[in-house]
Amino acid sequence: MVLPAQAPSSSTPDLQAYAIQPEEFKKAAATIQPMLSADGRIIEDFKNKRLMVLDRPEIQKKISVLYQPWTAPVSNVRIFVRSLDNSQGNSRQIDATWNTRVGNATIQRGPPGTQRGIQVRARTVDVMSDSNTQQQILVASGCKAMINVSEEIPDVGWFLFWGAPYGLWATEPQWKEVGAKLAVQPFVLPNGFIRIRLVPTLNRLVDRQWLITEVQQLATEVTVMDGQEVDLGGLQSKDSEFMRRFFQTYQQGGSARQVQLKLRAVIEELPPRPDYKE
């Protein structure tokens, strides 16, 4: 969940943490859940003994009457993702030479010795394209956001066959525009490290409806230092073949190429939130 940058308003969700002992989590969640709006959500943070609630300020006021707001600084994590694109394709080039006379003058295009007349030659040349693109998202510690991997992945049939035994999707033979994303969920640790949970996600168009599936079977976690960059394609996985195909996209010419993504997470501390007052 990406937090809005503007100041909270009556219609803008606000993130507030409440100090609750872990053994009271279930009871507190059961009490808070009916108070939430349709878009509200609860996030359990056992390590820091708190429940985090994302909802409108007026809802937070009601909850704060029952539970003590967490007064420690709330951490955001700014995530930078670099895509290293080394794509290869081909293009068609046409060269033309001519040699002709106009009156007493000779007009020529081409090297010395070009024959009289016009010659046209076409050839195919390989073209290498190097470009770096960057994604940037801001997410609260414990919340979730999405990073793009590929707008359209190859080998759609392979993924359809792979996921069927796990019940991840029905037969759905008419998959269209199948894209790949990574669900990223950072947790700021007390020692200044960040634990990042990553879940492969497939989004596809079926019968004019977008369907999104998180492949929880292949979720992985990595712990990094504040500001450290990691190669997402180099992380260990329970199914290396799935991840190899997941980090693919189409390049110019229609062939597949690997997507190289590097992620860097930076902690951004927010000042303590004041207690709500009636």
Side-chain angles (χ1 to χ4, degrees):
M1 180 67 69
V2 179
L3 295 180
Q6 67 269 23
S9 65
S10 59
S11 61
T12 301
D14 185 23
L15 181 67
Q16 176 66 50
Y18 298 92
I20 298 175
Q21 293 299 317
E23 59 270 19
E24 298 292 328
F25 272 20
K26 289 185 178 181
K27 180 180 178 181
T31 302
I32 294 173
Q33 188 65 48
M35 304 170 65
L36 301 182
S37 66
D39 297 326
R41 59 178 299 196
I42 300 173
I43 304 165
E44 296 181 350
D45 185 357
F46 287 95
K47 188 174 185 63
N48 294 307
K49 300 180 181 179
R50 62 183 182 176
L51 280 181
M52 300 177 68
V53 178
L54 184 67
D55 212 328
R56 300 194 303 266
E58 58 268 27
I59 302 296
Q60 302 284 11
K61 287 184 179 180
K62 297 178 181 179
I63 299 174
S64 65
V65 174
L66 301 176
Y67 298 100
Q68 177 66 35
W70 179 271
T71 56
V74 178
S75 297
N76 279 350
V77 179
R78 189 172 298 276
I79 296 176
F80 303 88
V81 180
R82 290 194 300 133
S83 175
L84 309 180
D85 183 1
N86 298 311
S87 59
Q88 180 177 3
N90 56 65
S91 64
R92 195 76 166 167
Q93 289 189 355
I94 298 178
D95 298 330
T97 61
W98 64 83
N99 185 321
T100 187
R101 291 183 63 84
V102 178
N104 294 326
T106 298
I107 301 177
Q108 176 178 305
R109 182 187 187 280
T114 299
Q115 298 180 357
R116 181 68 59 86
I118 300 176
Q119 302 177 28
V120 178
R121 180 180 60 181
R123 58 187 177 131
T124 300
V125 297
D126 292 331
V127 177
M128 292 295 296
S129 175
D130 296 332
S131 64
N132 291 341
T133 58
Q134 181 168 280
Q135 304 173 56
Q136 183 181 150
I137 55 176
L138 182 65
V139 57
S141 176
C143 291
K144 186 188 300 183
M146 292 287 183
I147 58 178
N148 293 321
V149 176
S150 172
E151 294 294 331
E152 186 176 3
I153 58 173
D155 299 330
V156 172
W158 187 92
F159 287 98
L160 183 63
F161 179 79
W162 184 93
Y166 296 101
L168 292 178
W169 37 70
T171 53
E172 300 175 7
Q174 302 300 321
W175 281 21
K176 297 180 180 179
E177 302 181 29
V178 183
K181 296 179 183 291
L182 269 178
V184 54
Q185 187 175 21
F187 298 87
V188 176
L189 305 179
N191 56 5
F193 282 72
I194 308 169
R195 186 175 75 249
I196 304 175
R197 178 177 171 83
L198 300 162
V199 183
T201 302
L202 294 178
N203 55 288
R204 62 222 183 264
L205 187 63
V206 179
D207 294 331
R208 294 181 292 183
Q209 180 181 4
W210 282 106
L211 301 179
I212 300 175
T213 301
E214 292 186 356
V215 185
Q216 295 290 345
Q217 292 86 342
L218 299 183
T220 185
E221 291 188 355
V222 57
T223 300
V224 298
M225 295 184 295
D226 183 14
Q228 179 184 353
E229 187 175 68
V230 294
D231 184 354
L232 296 182
L235 298 178
Q236 292 185 348
S237 172
K238 299 176 183 177
D239 192 324
S240 58
E241 181 61 18
F242 180 99
M243 298 307 296
R244 184 187 70 82
R245 294 174 183 266
F246 182 80
F247 282 101
Q248 283 189 341
T249 189
Y250 285 112
Q251 67 179 1
Q252 185 179 2
S255 58
R257 68 170 177 84
Q258 292 299 124
V259 177
Q260 302 179 53
L261 295 181
K262 293 184 179 293
L263 180 148
R264 182 168 62 92
V266 178
I267 300 173
E268 293 190 358
E269 293 286 352
L270 298 180
R273 295 178 180 272
D275 292 347
Y276 287 106
K277 297 181 179 179
E278 293 292 343

